[in-house]
Amino acid sequence: MTAVQAVRTKSRPPVRSVVGRYPVLVALIIGALFMVLPFLIVTVNAVKSPAEYSANGPLSLPEGVYLDGLKDFWERVDFGQKLVNSVLISGSVALLAVVLSVLNAYAIGVGRIKGRTWVLAFFVLANMLPQEALVYPVYYLSKEAGLYDTRLSVIIVFTVIQAAFGTYLLSAVLGQFPREIIEAAKIDGANKWQVLWRIVVPVSRPTIGVLLVFFFIWTWNEFLLPLVMLISNDNQTVSVALGVLQGQRLMDATMTNAAALLGVLPAIVFFLVFQRTLTRGIAVGAVK
Amino acid sequence: MTVTVERGARGGRVTEKHQHAKGPRRPRDSYTLFLLPGILAFFAIIIVPFLMNTGVSFTEWQGVGTPKWAGLANYRELMGDSEFWASFRHSLFMVVAMAAVPTVMGLVLAAALFDFVGKHFGTKTVAVLRACFYLPQVLPIAVAGIVWSWILAPENGSLNELLKAIGLGGLQQDWLGDPDIALYSVMGVMVWVQIGFPLVIFMAGLQRVDPQLYEAAELDGAGWWRRFWHVTLPQIRPEIHVVLLWCTIAALKVFGAVYVLTKGGPGGATNVPSYFSFTTFFEKTQVGYGAAISTVLTVVILVLALIGLKLQTRAEDAEEGLRT
């Protein structure tokens, strides 16, 4: 404890504080390594040939870069198509859900409509409902409507589910929107629609950006509803295609690694591209 | 940014109350039109299916033909169904793995990153470490399942190979295939998946804490643990509330991981309500029974959510009361 205290007191001799802070740093680095270790093992093994894998096991370093496993897997599951489906579904959901959230939040946060607390509570509870309690009726209704096994059906459902969260978050942000700006625009003759698109939306761009990123990634990662709704190969998302293959246990070790690596890569790309937005967004989301 | 929004959200409540007291100043309902698409979409996609599901839970139905009214028969059957009780028992294990453990670990990690690493090794180091812990959170749960089921494989699995390599070959297990340990293996994977979420939220919360509180505690001679206990914890209580609530709900809903890792097996050892209702719907096509399972799950989640929100508002009101 004294060593730890020494860290806090800047005037102490550095030798003592070193004792306190390095073990903590080392422990944290070991923890962080453990977190990324699975990613490293997968990457290493995805570039091994099956022969090399069976000879040396999963822990050896690869002797060379063998990409045939990845290529085979890509072709076998038509991974390009799955990527297109995932991008199309997640992108549409992100855009549509943001529009829906903005409209809702404008009425609740800026418009302060009557009974807004109840409306908001309604959206929050809708967001908390487990998808299990919707899945069969959604499956049944989409069959009745001829939308079963279409990407559109998944887009519609997730637009609404994501917008529930978006409405909640944006309503809090828009509730704080400076009234003076809106009043000024109204005096200048702007109607509500113009105020929304020319003033409220541009000013709220940071929060809207956070929502776009989150909706995109959340939808990308969704499993249960797409698993039920998208059965044909041409419509499946990356998550579903990989999850189903794994579930059937048809794959050998090299295939599994190729699948894992291809599934991991988009997530890492999102992470690198959106890291700032993600961490900021979580902070925004946390305060409800 | 974080701080502004945060104050904003809190302030919002105060302003609202303020306006209530004054009464409405202008006709407000002209904004209702903007809410129309949202409300309609919600009724069509969430409320109607939800009510249908609840309705179906009182029937016997194979998914085709007309549902046969059965009253409370499904629920009575559930009460005596050991598979159902087991699935909820496993949910409690998931709450431990996805809410309790990540919250405690997240708190300690966040405080350690903030206090030691941030102050002595710079924000860059903190950002890199935080990124490592957060990475699994952006991974689709199905992909996380693939990665781990391969690592935990009984033959040639990385974990078993690793144990052998460091001379602990005796500890090798069929991690996901042994009914006695499969649930704990799944729990371990879920901790790995979940830990980044509380960590990032707590770190954001810590930035909000007034450094003077720490300085005062230090002057009073409080050590690290005492400062953690008496300053950090009370200060980020709102974040702890949110994290516990969200993670508990996520734990009750867990599906993808179980589907990919174990399919509820071996022998139902890792079955959870969500997976149980899924198989009842789509494999056994006992739609009425599946609907009853998911309705019970919904009730449990909503009750928890309401209690959680209630506790949160009460804590915040108490805080506001102290301030004014």
Side-chain angles (χ1 to χ4, degrees), chain B residues 229-282:
Chain B
W229 200 253
H230 293 291
V231 181
T232 307
L233 283 187
Q235 286 293 313
I236 62 170
R237 204 165 49 199
E239 278 82 1
I240 298 177
H241 271 282
V242 170
V243 162
L244 277 177
L245 182 60
W246 271 29
C247 293
T248 304
I249 292 176
L252 291 172
K253 291 186 193 174
V254 67
F255 172 80
V258 168
Y259 180 94
V260 176
L261 282 172
T262 59
K263 295 227 151 197
T270 58
N271 204 3
V272 289
S274 170
Y275 188 77
F276 187 32
S277 71
F278 171 83
T279 48
T280 312
F281 279 137
F282 297 103

Short mmCIF file of all heavy atoms in Angstrom, two decimals, chain B residues 229-282:
data_model
loop_
_atom_site.label_atom_id
_atom_site.label_comp_id
_atom_site.label_asym_id
_atom_site.label_seq_id
_atom_site.Cartn_x
_atom_site.Cartn_y
_atom_site.Cartn_z
N TRP B 229 -13.01 2.82 -2.87
CA TRP B 229 -14.24 2.44 -2.19
C TRP B 229 -15.11 3.65 -1.85
O TRP B 229 -16.32 3.63 -2.03
CB TRP B 229 -13.88 1.66 -0.94
CG TRP B 229 -15.02 0.83 -0.43
CD1 TRP B 229 -15.76 1.08 0.67
CD2 TRP B 229 -15.53 -0.39 -1.01
NE1 TRP B 229 -16.71 0.10 0.81
CE2 TRP B 229 -16.59 -0.81 -0.20
CE3 TRP B 229 -15.17 -1.14 -2.13
CZ2 TRP B 229 -17.32 -1.96 -0.48
CZ3 TRP B 229 -15.90 -2.28 -2.41
CH2 TRP B 229 -16.95 -2.67 -1.59
N HIS B 230 -14.45 4.73 -1.37
CA HIS B 230 -15.23 5.85 -0.84
C HIS B 230 -15.40 7.01 -1.83
O HIS B 230 -16.25 7.86 -1.62
CB HIS B 230 -14.60 6.38 0.44
CG HIS B 230 -14.67 5.39 1.56
ND1 HIS B 230 -15.87 5.05 2.16
CD2 HIS B 230 -13.73 4.65 2.16
CE1 HIS B 230 -15.64 4.14 3.09
NE2 HIS B 230 -14.35 3.87 3.11
N VAL B 231 -14.57 7.06 -2.86
CA VAL B 231 -14.72 8.14 -3.84
C VAL B 231 -15.20 7.60 -5.18
O VAL B 231 -16.28 7.95 -5.67
CB VAL B 231 -13.41 8.94 -4.03
CG1 VAL B 231 -13.63 10.08 -5.02
CG2 VAL B 231 -12.93 9.48 -2.69
N THR B 232 -14.41 6.70 -5.77
CA THR B 232 -14.73 6.21 -7.12
C THR B 232 -16.11 5.56 -7.18
O THR B 232 -16.96 5.94 -7.99
CB THR B 232 -13.67 5.20 -7.58
OG1 THR B 232 -12.39 5.81 -7.42
CG2 THR B 232 -13.87 4.83 -9.02
N LEU B 233 -16.34 4.59 -6.31
CA LEU B 233 -17.60 3.84 -6.38
C LEU B 233 -18.84 4.73 -6.23
O LEU B 233 -19.72 4.68 -7.07
CB LEU B 233 -17.62 2.72 -5.34
CG LEU B 233 -16.80 1.48 -5.70
CD1 LEU B 233 -17.05 0.38 -4.67
CD2 LEU B 233 -17.13 0.98 -7.09
N PRO B 234 -18.91 5.57 -5.18
CA PRO B 234 -20.10 6.40 -5.07
C PRO B 234 -20.25 7.37 -6.25
O PRO B 234 -21.36 7.63 -6.69
CB PRO B 234 -19.88 7.18 -3.77
CG PRO B 234 -18.81 6.48 -3.04
CD PRO B 234 -18.00 5.74 -4.04
N GLN B 235 -19.12 7.85 -6.77
CA GLN B 235 -19.20 8.85 -7.83
C GLN B 235 -19.72 8.27 -9.14
O GLN B 235 -20.39 8.96 -9.89
CB GLN B 235 -17.81 9.49 -8.06
CG GLN B 235 -17.42 10.46 -6.98
CD GLN B 235 -18.31 11.69 -6.97
OE1 GLN B 235 -18.57 12.29 -7.98
NE2 GLN B 235 -18.81 12.05 -5.78
N ILE B 236 -19.35 7.04 -9.43
CA ILE B 236 -19.82 6.49 -10.71
C ILE B 236 -20.98 5.51 -10.52
O ILE B 236 -21.21 4.63 -11.34
CB ILE B 236 -18.69 5.87 -11.55
CG1 ILE B 236 -18.05 4.69 -10.84
CG2 ILE B 236 -17.63 6.88 -11.91
CD1 ILE B 236 -17.12 3.93 -11.78
N ARG B 237 -21.72 5.70 -9.45
CA ARG B 237 -22.86 4.82 -9.23
C ARG B 237 -23.88 4.82 -10.37
O ARG B 237 -24.40 3.76 -10.73
CB ARG B 237 -23.54 5.15 -7.90
CG ARG B 237 -24.29 3.95 -7.37
CD ARG B 237 -24.65 4.08 -5.94
NE ARG B 237 -25.29 5.37 -5.69
CZ ARG B 237 -25.38 5.91 -4.49
NH1 ARG B 237 -24.89 5.31 -3.44
NH2 ARG B 237 -25.96 7.08 -4.31
N PRO B 238 -24.16 5.98 -10.98
CA PRO B 238 -25.11 5.92 -12.11
C PRO B 238 -24.65 4.96 -13.19
O PRO B 238 -25.45 4.19 -13.72
CB PRO B 238 -25.13 7.36 -12.63
CG PRO B 238 -24.60 8.20 -11.53
CD PRO B 238 -23.73 7.34 -10.69
N GLU B 239 -23.35 5.00 -13.51
CA GLU B 239 -22.83 4.11 -14.55
C GLU B 239 -22.93 2.65 -14.11
O GLU B 239 -23.24 1.77 -14.92
CB GLU B 239 -21.36 4.44 -14.85
CG GLU B 239 -21.17 5.61 -15.79
CD GLU B 239 -21.25 6.96 -15.10
OE1 GLU B 239 -21.44 6.99 -13.86
OE2 GLU B 239 -21.13 7.98 -15.79
N ILE B 240 -22.68 2.39 -12.83
CA ILE B 240 -22.76 1.01 -12.34
C ILE B 240 -24.19 0.49 -12.48
O ILE B 240 -24.41 -0.64 -12.93
CB ILE B 240 -22.28 0.92 -10.87
CG1 ILE B 240 -20.80 1.35 -10.80
CG2 ILE B 240 -22.43 -0.50 -10.34
CD1 ILE B 240 -20.24 1.38 -9.40
N HIS B 241 -25.14 1.34 -12.14
CA HIS B 241 -26.56 0.96 -12.29
C HIS B 241 -26.86 0.56 -13.72
O HIS B 241 -27.44 -0.50 -13.99
CB HIS B 241 -27.46 2.15 -11.95
CG HIS B 241 -27.81 2.22 -10.50
ND1 HIS B 241 -28.77 1.42 -9.95
CD2 HIS B 241 -27.35 3.00 -9.50
CE1 HIS B 241 -28.86 1.70 -8.67
NE2 HIS B 241 -28.02 2.66 -8.37
N VAL B 242 -26.48 1.44 -14.65
CA VAL B 242 -26.79 1.21 -16.06
C VAL B 242 -26.14 -0.09 -16.55
O VAL B 242 -26.78 -0.91 -17.20
CB VAL B 242 -26.31 2.41 -16.91
CG1 VAL B 242 -26.40 2.06 -18.39
CG2 VAL B 242 -27.15 3.63 -16.61
N VAL B 243 -24.86 -0.26 -16.21
CA VAL B 243 -24.13 -1.43 -16.68
C VAL B 243 -24.78 -2.70 -16.14
O VAL B 243 -25.00 -3.66 -16.88
CB VAL B 243 -22.65 -1.34 -16.25
CG1 VAL B 243 -21.99 -2.70 -16.34
CG2 VAL B 243 -21.92 -0.35 -17.14
N LEU B 244 -25.10 -2.71 -14.85
CA LEU B 244 -25.70 -3.92 -14.26
C LEU B 244 -27.02 -4.24 -14.92
O LEU B 244 -27.30 -5.40 -15.26
CB LEU B 244 -25.89 -3.73 -12.75
CG LEU B 244 -24.65 -4.00 -11.90
CD1 LEU B 244 -24.93 -3.70 -10.44
CD2 LEU B 244 -24.18 -5.45 -12.06
N LEU B 245 -27.84 -3.22 -15.15
CA LEU B 245 -29.15 -3.44 -15.75
C LEU B 245 -29.01 -3.98 -17.17
O LEU B 245 -29.59 -5.01 -17.52
CB LEU B 245 -29.94 -2.13 -15.73
CG LEU B 245 -31.37 -2.21 -16.28
CD1 LEU B 245 -32.20 -3.19 -15.49
CD2 LEU B 245 -32.02 -0.84 -16.26
N TRP B 246 -28.22 -3.28 -17.96
CA TRP B 246 -28.05 -3.69 -19.37
C TRP B 246 -27.47 -5.10 -19.47
O TRP B 246 -27.93 -5.90 -20.26
CB TRP B 246 -27.09 -2.72 -20.07
CG TRP B 246 -27.75 -1.55 -20.68
CD1 TRP B 246 -28.91 -0.94 -20.25
CD2 TRP B 246 -27.30 -0.82 -21.82
NE1 TRP B 246 -29.18 0.13 -21.06
CE2 TRP B 246 -28.22 0.23 -22.02
CE3 TRP B 246 -26.21 -0.94 -22.68
CZ2 TRP B 246 -28.08 1.14 -23.06
CZ3 TRP B 246 -26.08 -0.03 -23.71
CH2 TRP B 246 -27.00 0.99 -23.90
N CYS B 247 -26.44 -5.35 -18.69
CA CYS B 247 -25.76 -6.64 -18.81
C CYS B 247 -26.65 -7.77 -18.30
O CYS B 247 -26.62 -8.88 -18.84
CB CYS B 247 -24.44 -6.63 -18.05
SG CYS B 247 -23.24 -5.53 -18.78
N THR B 248 -27.45 -7.51 -17.27
CA THR B 248 -28.34 -8.55 -16.77
C THR B 248 -29.37 -8.90 -17.84
O THR B 248 -29.65 -10.08 -18.10
CB THR B 248 -29.05 -8.08 -15.48
OG1 THR B 248 -28.05 -7.71 -14.54
CG2 THR B 248 -29.91 -9.18 -14.92
N ILE B 249 -29.90 -7.88 -18.49
CA ILE B 249 -30.88 -8.13 -19.55
C ILE B 249 -30.22 -8.89 -20.70
O ILE B 249 -30.77 -9.87 -21.22
CB ILE B 249 -31.52 -6.81 -20.02
CG1 ILE B 249 -32.39 -6.26 -18.89
CG2 ILE B 249 -32.35 -7.02 -21.27
CD1 ILE B 249 -33.00 -4.92 -19.18
N ALA B 250 -29.01 -8.45 -21.07
CA ALA B 250 -28.29 -9.15 -22.14
C ALA B 250 -28.06 -10.61 -21.77
O ALA B 250 -28.18 -11.51 -22.61
CB ALA B 250 -26.96 -8.46 -22.42
N ALA B 251 -27.76 -10.86 -20.49
CA ALA B 251 -27.49 -12.22 -20.04
C ALA B 251 -28.75 -13.09 -20.15
O ALA B 251 -28.69 -14.26 -20.51
CB ALA B 251 -26.98 -12.21 -18.60
N LEU B 252 -29.90 -12.49 -19.83
CA LEU B 252 -31.14 -13.26 -19.91
C LEU B 252 -31.52 -13.58 -21.35
O LEU B 252 -32.20 -14.55 -21.63
CB LEU B 252 -32.28 -12.48 -19.24
CG LEU B 252 -32.17 -12.35 -17.73
CD1 LEU B 252 -33.22 -11.40 -17.19
CD2 LEU B 252 -32.31 -13.71 -17.07
N LYS B 253 -31.05 -12.73 -22.28
CA LYS B 253 -31.42 -12.92 -23.68
C LYS B 253 -30.41 -13.76 -24.45
O LYS B 253 -30.61 -14.01 -25.64
CB LYS B 253 -31.50 -11.56 -24.38
CG LYS B 253 -32.63 -10.66 -23.95
CD LYS B 253 -32.60 -9.44 -24.87
CE LYS B 253 -33.46 -8.31 -24.38
NZ LYS B 253 -33.30 -7.11 -25.22
N VAL B 254 -29.32 -14.14 -23.83
CA VAL B 254 -28.21 -14.74 -24.58
C VAL B 254 -28.67 -15.91 -25.45
O VAL B 254 -29.35 -16.83 -24.99
CB VAL B 254 -27.05 -15.14 -23.64
CG1 VAL B 254 -27.45 -16.27 -22.72
CG2 VAL B 254 -25.81 -15.49 -24.43
N PHE B 255 -28.34 -15.82 -26.73
CA PHE B 255 -28.78 -16.86 -27.66
C PHE B 255 -27.65 -17.31 -28.60
O PHE B 255 -27.30 -18.48 -28.64
CB PHE B 255 -29.98 -16.37 -28.50
CG PHE B 255 -30.36 -17.30 -29.60
CD1 PHE B 255 -31.12 -18.43 -29.34
CD2 PHE B 255 -29.93 -17.08 -30.91
CE1 PHE B 255 -31.46 -19.32 -30.36
CE2 PHE B 255 -30.25 -17.97 -31.93
CZ PHE B 255 -31.02 -19.08 -31.65
N GLY B 256 -27.10 -16.36 -29.34
CA GLY B 256 -26.12 -16.69 -30.38
C GLY B 256 -24.96 -17.52 -29.85
O GLY B 256 -24.56 -18.51 -30.48
N ALA B 257 -24.44 -17.15 -28.71
CA ALA B 257 -23.28 -17.86 -28.16
C ALA B 257 -23.63 -19.32 -27.88
O ALA B 257 -22.87 -20.23 -28.21
CB ALA B 257 -22.80 -17.18 -26.89
N VAL B 258 -24.81 -19.52 -27.29
CA VAL B 258 -25.21 -20.88 -26.96
C VAL B 258 -25.47 -21.69 -28.23
O VAL B 258 -25.06 -22.84 -28.36
CB VAL B 258 -26.47 -20.86 -26.05
CG1 VAL B 258 -27.08 -22.24 -25.93
CG2 VAL B 258 -26.11 -20.31 -24.69
N TYR B 259 -26.10 -21.04 -29.21
CA TYR B 259 -26.37 -21.72 -30.48
C TYR B 259 -25.08 -22.21 -31.12
O TYR B 259 -24.97 -23.35 -31.57
CB TYR B 259 -27.11 -20.76 -31.42
CG TYR B 259 -27.46 -21.36 -32.78
CD1 TYR B 259 -28.70 -21.93 -33.00
CD2 TYR B 259 -26.55 -21.33 -33.82
CE1 TYR B 259 -29.03 -22.48 -34.23
CE2 TYR B 259 -26.86 -21.86 -35.06
CZ TYR B 259 -28.10 -22.44 -35.26
OH TYR B 259 -28.42 -22.98 -36.48
N VAL B 260 -24.09 -21.34 -31.16
CA VAL B 260 -22.86 -21.68 -31.88
C VAL B 260 -21.93 -22.56 -31.04
O VAL B 260 -21.31 -23.48 -31.55
CB VAL B 260 -22.13 -20.39 -32.33
CG1 VAL B 260 -20.81 -20.73 -32.99
CG2 VAL B 260 -23.01 -19.62 -33.30
N LEU B 261 -21.85 -22.30 -29.74
CA LEU B 261 -20.89 -23.04 -28.91
C LEU B 261 -21.36 -24.45 -28.61
O LEU B 261 -20.61 -25.41 -28.75
CB LEU B 261 -20.63 -22.30 -27.60
CG LEU B 261 -19.69 -21.10 -27.63
CD1 LEU B 261 -19.73 -20.38 -26.29
CD2 LEU B 261 -18.27 -21.51 -27.96
N THR B 262 -22.61 -24.58 -28.14
CA THR B 262 -23.01 -25.88 -27.59
C THR B 262 -24.37 -26.38 -28.06
O THR B 262 -24.73 -27.52 -27.79
CB THR B 262 -23.09 -25.81 -26.06
OG1 THR B 262 -24.06 -24.80 -25.73
CG2 THR B 262 -21.76 -25.47 -25.44
N LYS B 263 -25.15 -25.52 -28.72
CA LYS B 263 -26.54 -25.89 -29.05
C LYS B 263 -27.29 -26.35 -27.80
O LYS B 263 -28.08 -27.31 -27.85
CB LYS B 263 -26.55 -26.99 -30.11
CG LYS B 263 -26.00 -26.52 -31.43
CD LYS B 263 -26.91 -26.93 -32.58
CE LYS B 263 -26.79 -25.94 -33.70
NZ LYS B 263 -27.85 -25.99 -34.66
N GLY B 264 -27.00 -25.72 -26.70
CA GLY B 264 -27.71 -26.03 -25.47
C GLY B 264 -27.22 -27.29 -24.77
O GLY B 264 -27.59 -27.56 -23.64
N GLY B 265 -26.37 -28.04 -25.44
CA GLY B 265 -25.93 -29.31 -24.89
C GLY B 265 -24.67 -29.18 -24.08
O GLY B 265 -24.28 -28.07 -23.75
N PRO B 266 -24.02 -30.24 -23.73
CA PRO B 266 -24.46 -31.62 -23.90
C PRO B 266 -25.59 -31.97 -22.92
O PRO B 266 -25.51 -31.61 -21.75
CB PRO B 266 -23.20 -32.42 -23.59
CG PRO B 266 -22.39 -31.52 -22.71
CD PRO B 266 -22.72 -30.11 -23.11
N GLY B 267 -26.59 -32.62 -23.46
CA GLY B 267 -27.72 -33.04 -22.64
C GLY B 267 -28.42 -31.91 -21.91
O GLY B 267 -28.83 -32.06 -20.78
N GLY B 268 -28.54 -30.75 -22.57
CA GLY B 268 -29.24 -29.64 -21.95
C GLY B 268 -28.45 -28.91 -20.88
O GLY B 268 -28.98 -28.03 -20.20
N ALA B 269 -27.15 -29.21 -20.77
CA ALA B 269 -26.35 -28.62 -19.69
C ALA B 269 -26.15 -27.12 -19.85
O ALA B 269 -25.82 -26.43 -18.90
CB ALA B 269 -25.00 -29.32 -19.59
N THR B 270 -26.30 -26.61 -21.09
CA THR B 270 -26.12 -25.18 -21.28
C THR B 270 -27.36 -24.53 -21.89
O THR B 270 -27.28 -23.45 -22.46
CB THR B 270 -24.91 -24.89 -22.20
OG1 THR B 270 -25.13 -25.56 -23.45
CG2 THR B 270 -23.61 -25.38 -21.60
N ASN B 271 -28.49 -25.21 -21.78
CA ASN B 271 -29.72 -24.66 -22.34
C ASN B 271 -30.13 -23.38 -21.59
O ASN B 271 -29.99 -23.31 -20.38
CB ASN B 271 -30.85 -25.69 -22.23
CG ASN B 271 -31.93 -25.46 -23.25
OD1 ASN B 271 -31.83 -24.56 -24.08
ND2 ASN B 271 -32.98 -26.26 -23.19
N VAL B 272 -30.57 -22.39 -22.34
CA VAL B 272 -31.05 -21.14 -21.73
C VAL B 272 -32.44 -20.85 -22.29
O VAL B 272 -32.79 -21.38 -23.35
CB VAL B 272 -30.09 -19.96 -22.01
CG1 VAL B 272 -28.81 -20.09 -21.24
CG2 VAL B 272 -29.81 -19.83 -23.51
N PRO B 273 -33.24 -20.01 -21.60
CA PRO B 273 -34.63 -19.80 -22.04
C PRO B 273 -34.75 -19.42 -23.50
O PRO B 273 -35.63 -19.91 -24.22
CB PRO B 273 -35.11 -18.66 -21.14
CG PRO B 273 -34.26 -18.72 -19.93
CD PRO B 273 -32.94 -19.25 -20.38
N SER B 274 -33.84 -18.52 -23.92
CA SER B 274 -33.89 -18.05 -25.29
C SER B 274 -33.70 -19.20 -26.29
O SER B 274 -34.46 -19.33 -27.25
CB SER B 274 -32.79 -17.00 -25.44
OG SER B 274 -32.62 -16.66 -26.75
N TYR B 275 -32.70 -20.03 -26.05
CA TYR B 275 -32.46 -21.15 -26.94
C TYR B 275 -33.57 -22.20 -26.83
O TYR B 275 -33.99 -22.80 -27.81
CB TYR B 275 -31.10 -21.78 -26.63
CG TYR B 275 -30.70 -22.84 -27.63
CD1 TYR B 275 -30.22 -22.49 -28.89
CD2 TYR B 275 -30.85 -24.19 -27.34
CE1 TYR B 275 -29.90 -23.44 -29.83
CE2 TYR B 275 -30.53 -25.16 -28.27
CZ TYR B 275 -30.05 -24.78 -29.51
OH TYR B 275 -29.75 -25.73 -30.45
N PHE B 276 -34.06 -22.36 -25.61
CA PHE B 276 -35.15 -23.31 -25.34
C PHE B 276 -36.39 -22.92 -26.14
O PHE B 276 -37.02 -23.77 -26.80
CB PHE B 276 -35.43 -23.33 -23.84
CG PHE B 276 -36.40 -24.38 -23.39
CD1 PHE B 276 -36.51 -25.60 -24.04
CD2 PHE B 276 -37.21 -24.14 -22.28
CE1 PHE B 276 -37.40 -26.56 -23.61
CE2 PHE B 276 -38.11 -25.10 -21.84
CZ PHE B 276 -38.20 -26.31 -22.51
N SER B 277 -36.74 -21.63 -26.12
CA SER B 277 -37.93 -21.20 -26.87
C SER B 277 -37.68 -21.35 -28.36
O SER B 277 -38.56 -21.77 -29.11
CB SER B 277 -38.32 -19.76 -26.52
OG SER B 277 -37.41 -18.84 -27.05
N PHE B 278 -36.47 -21.06 -28.80
CA PHE B 278 -36.13 -21.19 -30.23
C PHE B 278 -36.35 -22.62 -30.72
O PHE B 278 -37.00 -22.85 -31.74
CB PHE B 278 -34.68 -20.75 -30.45
CG PHE B 278 -34.14 -21.03 -31.84
CD1 PHE B 278 -34.40 -20.17 -32.89
CD2 PHE B 278 -33.37 -22.16 -32.07
CE1 PHE B 278 -33.91 -20.42 -34.16
CE2 PHE B 278 -32.87 -22.42 -33.35
CZ PHE B 278 -33.16 -21.55 -34.39
N THR B 279 -35.82 -23.60 -29.97
CA THR B 279 -35.96 -24.99 -30.41
C THR B 279 -37.42 -25.43 -30.32
O THR B 279 -37.89 -26.21 -31.15
CB THR B 279 -35.10 -25.95 -29.58
OG1 THR B 279 -35.31 -25.67 -28.20
CG2 THR B 279 -33.63 -25.80 -29.90
N THR B 280 -38.13 -24.92 -29.29
CA THR B 280 -39.54 -25.30 -29.16
C THR B 280 -40.36 -24.76 -30.33
O THR B 280 -41.23 -25.45 -30.85
CB THR B 280 -40.11 -24.80 -27.82
OG1 THR B 280 -39.19 -25.15 -26.79
CG2 THR B 280 -41.45 -25.41 -27.53
N PHE B 281 -40.04 -23.53 -30.75
CA PHE B 281 -40.72 -22.95 -31.91
C PHE B 281 -40.40 -23.72 -33.20
O PHE B 281 -41.28 -24.17 -33.91
CB PHE B 281 -40.25 -21.51 -32.15
CG PHE B 281 -40.90 -20.47 -31.27
CD1 PHE B 281 -40.13 -19.48 -30.69
CD2 PHE B 281 -42.27 -20.45 -31.06
CE1 PHE B 281 -40.71 -18.50 -29.90
CE2 PHE B 281 -42.85 -19.48 -30.28
CZ PHE B 281 -42.07 -18.50 -29.69
N PHE B 282 -39.10 -23.81 -33.49
CA PHE B 282 -38.71 -24.15 -34.86
C PHE B 282 -38.28 -25.61 -35.04
O PHE B 282 -38.22 -26.08 -36.16
CB PHE B 282 -37.62 -23.21 -35.35
CG PHE B 282 -38.09 -21.78 -35.44
CD1 PHE B 282 -37.73 -20.85 -34.48
CD2 PHE B 282 -38.93 -21.38 -36.47
CE1 PHE B 282 -38.18 -19.55 -34.54
CE2 PHE B 282 -39.39 -20.08 -36.55
CZ PHE B 282 -39.00 -19.15 -35.58
#
